[in-house]
Amino acid sequence: TVRNMVRSKQQAARILDEFQPDLVVGTGGYASYPVVKEAARRHIPTAVHESNAVPGLTTKALSKVVDCVMVGFEESRAHYDHPEKVVVTGTPVRGDFFRYTRQEAREKLGLTDERPLLLSYWGSLGAEVMNCQMAECIALECRDGAPFHHIHGAGRDYRAVLDALQGSGLADHPEVDVREYIYDMPLVMAAADLVLCRAGASTIAEIAAIAKPAVLVPSPNVVADHQTKNARVLANAGGAVLLPEGESSGEKLYALMTGLLSDAPRREAMSRALRDMAVPDAAEQIYQTLVRLMEKRAN
């Protein structure tokens, strides 16, 4: 509302008066807009970081007034009115994701043979339609003698997935590990040969940083369909397969999974494409970008 807009401007001014910052950085989301906008008006050095491949409304608006826009991928530059302001810093990923080699991670998970590992998850809470499809996938895997290991994070649909497998007599298959939540994600992802997941900003940053081939099924229930745009960046680079949810099914997912898991050269090519586009030291790149911004203003 108009009243909230006026109040937010006043509150932003009060915050800046009290805090007296030398630099103001926004990370997207409407809450950052009034403070970053007011800081830019006061000629305080300002920057914004956008994790998604395509900017949201807040980042798009702030990009016109800030000194610097930091983005995750080179392809993102084209979506801004002032591309000369854009710096490709990547999106920071937890250091834990770089802790294990694939072999070390497999040993910690107790995988002693050479069969590949599939990791699937649909966000921390899960997604009902995709979990139903994963139950179908797992049934097909078991029917074919479990040609690969599979760890699936079901989220809130955990019980429903187990019930579906129980009904098929497949609840206790030794090669399929259905979990309510994957607490050791950096370890499991390091061990994985292929990842099936959504395409949120953090997820695609993690996949790119450790170069894991992926099948991405973006959530259709997000603002401006931004997950599809995220997935398309990785798919266009050759690092992932984009499968719209409306075109997905248990059988189609299983065909994709088995095709990729039996094609090591293609997975290696996908990993190379991801390594070429990733910025694994994103936190350092952001820090250096902000230091340069402050030094430039100081001079």
Side-chain angles (χ1 to χ4, degrees), residues 206-219:
E206 291 159 3
I207 286 169
I210 61 172
K212 288 295 173 179
V215 175
L216 301 174
V217 185
S219 171

Side-chain angles (χ1 to χ4, degrees), residues 258-273:
T258 52
L260 286 166
L261 287 171
S262 62
D263 190 348
R266 184 180 178 191
R267 293 201 315 275
E268 181 50 42
M270 293 170 78
S271 291
R272 282 198 303 272

